[in-house]
């Protein structure tokens, strides 16, 4: 049986832990709201870009002269797996879920005899992936200094990815991140970003009344659009990831706060019992002493 | 008379969505102005300044944009810019 004093110390320590987790939960909730707003604000651009891409892609024939970003390198031997995780931990299973999805894909690809390399955004996936797939991490983007993801951050990553693609480092790039469904549900998602998959237009394409004029021409515009599309996909993923991270952290901290509450209750009961036991023993001793006289 | 629907979108947010008279856009092959009823048109834009006219003579806003592209269709003019800053 733990002594009264040590019980008391434990209760105080759990209480202060609870204060921290509670504060972290509040912070995550506030950040979540902001991240969600950012994700929503980014939607119109992505939607319009998708629409434009779709209408352009219908006009341009994919042939050997098409930009590589669209047509691919003609092989799918070398894969680059881009894993977007968070920079901080204590977010429940957020990072491990993403890493698990990426790992599954990598295992399948390696079993198929493909080359697999990793490109990390955020540092939390590094330890696990480095242990499982040593020497396969080509680069890690450090985002610790970034508070709110800006488009320029995504653009930088996209430029690097495209430069590596053009240098012939890989054939196909897949992106892993957590899609934000709700504060409670985040879905680890896989998305191919290079070569660019042309989005399918939902429903029927409205017939263009007059032939649209293009300046300079369709191919040039498309070539201009493709890198931008990679950037915007990345940006979207990063925004979704940020929202997911906060949602996941909010949950984890909520659970932690509740657990701490349960623990405090248990410890308090134990404390009270042992206090009573001590008093009873003392009384018995006094009475026994008095009777002995 | 504002009657051209104009939208300026950046990856971070929808910056403008309003009816204007005319917009002058720096296209890659030269500046062009869009009025109501412009033929469907799409172009890449170079970094520069767009000018928004609420009537034939009054400029209501100048916005510096950093590349992107512009699309004119029957719904109006949409500019997808990589970055945009209001010029005072």
């Amino acid at each position: 049986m733990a002594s009264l004093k040590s019980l008391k110390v434990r209760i105080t320590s759990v209480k202060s832990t609870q204060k921290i987790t509670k504060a972290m939960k509040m912070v995550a909730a506030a950040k979540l709201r902001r991240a969600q707003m950012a994700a929503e604000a980014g939607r119109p651009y992505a939607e319009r870009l998708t629409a434009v891409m779709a209408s352009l892609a219908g006009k341009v024939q994919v042939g050997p002269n098409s930009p590589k970003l669209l047509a691919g390198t003609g092989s799918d031997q070398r894969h680059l797996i881009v894993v977007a995780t968070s920079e901080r931990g204590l977010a429940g299973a957020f990072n491990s879920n993403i890493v698990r999805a990426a790992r599954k894909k990598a295992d399948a690809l390696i079993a198929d005899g493909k080359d697999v390399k990793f490109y990390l955004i955020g540092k939390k996936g590094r330890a696990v992936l480095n242990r499982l797939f040593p020497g396969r991490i080509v680069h890690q983007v450090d985002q610790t200094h970034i508070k709110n993801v800006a488009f320029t951050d995504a653009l930088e990553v996209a430029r690097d990815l495209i430069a590596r693609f053009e240098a012939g480092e890989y054939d196909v790039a897949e992106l892993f991140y957590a899609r934000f469904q709700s504060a409670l549900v985040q879905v680890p998602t896989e998305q191919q970003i290079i070569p660019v998959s042309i989005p399918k237009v939902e429903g029927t394409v409205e017939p263009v009344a007059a032939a649209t004029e293009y300046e300079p021409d369709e191919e040039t515009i498309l070539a201009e659009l493709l890198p931008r599309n990679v950037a915007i996909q990345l940006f979207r993923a990063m925004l979704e990831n940020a929202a997911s991270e906060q949602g996941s952290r909010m949950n984890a901290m909520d659970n932690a706060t509740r657990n701490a509450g349960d623990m405090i209750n248990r410890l308090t009961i134990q404390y009270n019992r042992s206090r009573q036991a001590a008093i009873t023993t003392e009384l018995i001793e006094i009475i026994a002493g008095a009777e002995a006289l | 008379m504002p009657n051209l629907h104009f939208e300026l979108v950046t990856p971070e947010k929808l910056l403008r969505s309003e009816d204007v008279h005319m917009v002058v856009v720096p296209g890659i092959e030269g500046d062009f102005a869009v009025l109501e009823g412009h033929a469907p048109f799409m172009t890449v834009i170079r970094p520069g300044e767009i000018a928004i006219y609420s009537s034939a003579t009054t400029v209501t806003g100048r916005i510096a944009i950093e590349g992107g592209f512009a699309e004119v269709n029957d719904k109006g003019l949409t500019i997808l810019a990589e970055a945009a800053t209001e010029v005072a």
Side-chain angles (χ1 to χ4, degrees):
Chain A
M1 191 85 168
S3 78
L4 275 182
K5 180 141 194 269
S6 72
L7 271 174
K8 199 157 199 177
V9 169
R10 271 194 77 188
I11 292 174
T12 341
S13 114
V14 176
K15 266 187 185 156
S16 53
T17 308
Q18 193 190 28
K19 271 183 203 149
I20 294 170
T21 57
K22 210 172 196 167
M24 279 184 79
K25 182 193 149 195
M26 311 271 222
V27 171
K31 281 190 178 165
L32 171 66
R33 207 160 38 236
R34 223 175 320 142
Q36 244 177 314
M37 264 158 58
E40 261 158 43
R43 227 162 263 164
Y45 188 93
E47 274 165 14
R48 284 180 179 80
L49 192 71
T50 313
V52 171
M53 289 274 297
S55 73
L56 264 179
K59 296 195 174 79
V60 178
Q61 294 295 318
V62 178
N65 299 326
S66 306
K68 266 192 182 174
L69 271 181
L70 183 64
T73 51
S75 119
D76 66 340
Q77 182 55 35
R78 290 160 305 155
H79 285 252
L80 185 71
I81 297 189
V82 184
V83 186
T85 55
S86 67
E87 290 288 352
R88 287 148 186 267
L90 291 181
F94 173 76
N95 288 311
S96 39
N97 280 345
I98 298 175
V99 169
R100 191 176 312 131
R103 195 180 131 191
K104 229 167 113 189
K105 175 80 181 178
D107 281 338
L109 285 171
I110 291 172
D112 269 357
K114 313 269 193 219
D115 288 342
V116 177
K117 294 264 187 250
F118 288 97
Y119 187 99
L120 305 182
I121 302 174
K123 72 173 178 200
K124 278 295 168 186
R126 189 184 187 98
V128 182
L129 290 174
N130 207 14
R131 180 158 46 79
L132 291 167
F133 307 100
R136 288 184 188 264
I137 297 175
V138 288
H139 185 69
Q140 178 190 359
V141 182
D142 184 29
Q143 290 194 306
T144 15
H145 59 284
I146 297 171
K147 246 183 163 172
N148 297 314
V149 187
F151 182 60
T152 41
D153 303 324
L155 200 61
E156 234 170 79
V157 180
R159 284 211 180 110
D160 186 31
L161 280 176
I162 291 168
R164 283 168 192 270
F165 178 72
E166 260 150 21
E169 280 186 35
Y170 60 92
D171 302 312
V172 182
E174 275 118 1
L175 173 65
F176 282 85
Y177 68 101
R179 195 160 50 78
F180 183 81
Q181 207 168 60
S182 73
L184 290 172
V185 185
Q186 297 88 29
V187 193
T189 307
E190 172 192 348
Q191 189 185 1
Q192 181 179 318
I193 48 171
I194 295 176
V196 176
S197 51
I198 291 296
K200 294 265 185 311
V201 190
E202 281 159 39
T204 48
V205 189
E206 43 190 287
V208 186
T212 310
E213 211 178 298
Y214 291 93
E215 192 180 293
D217 54 57
E218 285 99 320
E219 279 85 10
T220 321
I221 295 183
L222 193 63
E224 182 84 14
L225 265 177
L226 289 168
R228 207 158 281 159
N229 187 274
V230 175
I232 198 78
Q233 299 293 355
L234 267 174
F235 183 52
R236 240 183 125 162
M238 278 155 87
L239 285 178
E240 294 249 346
N241 226 19
S244 298
E245 180 196 343
Q246 298 306 339
S248 186
R249 175 165 301 128
M250 197 175 89
N251 261 328
M253 288 302 123
D254 189 38
N255 284 339
T257 309
R258 227 186 344 245
N259 285 346
D262 290 348
M263 199 163 184
I264 290 170
N265 282 343
R266 238 190 18 248
L267 286 174
T268 314
I269 287 172
Q270 207 185 338
Y271 174 77
N272 288 345
R273 283 217 181 114
S274 34
R275 194 176 64 99
Q276 258 176 351
I279 291 169
T280 315
T281 334
E282 243 170 72
L283 274 177
I284 289 173
E285 271 165 15
I286 292 169
I287 292 164
E291 269 173 6
L293 283 176
Chain B
M1 225 193 312
N3 42 22
L4 168 75
H5 188 65
F6 165 61
E7 276 186 357
L8 176 60
V9 201
T10 67
E12 266 138 48
K13 64 180 180 200
L14 179 66
L15 213 62
R16 288 282 175 99
S17 179
E18 58 193 5
D19 285 338
V20 298
H21 175 70
M22 177 172 82
V23 183
V24 177
V25 188
I28 194 122
E29 291 179 349
D31 288 12
F32 61 93
V34 181
L35 282 156
E36 190 204 10
H38 195 287
F41 177 62
M42 176 180 286
T43 184
V44 179
I45 44 186
R46 60 185 159 80
E49 221 175 81
I50 57 171
I52 303 160
Y53 289 74
S54 65
S55 79
T57 47
T58 39
V59 179
T60 45
R62 285 181 188 281
I63 299 171
I65 52 176
E66 234 175 76
F69 57 99
E71 188 192 14
V72 184
N73 54 26
D74 48 357
K75 287 184 213 109
L77 166 68
T78 309
I79 295 183
L80 300 184
E82 235 153 62
T85 26
E86 210 105 2
V87 180

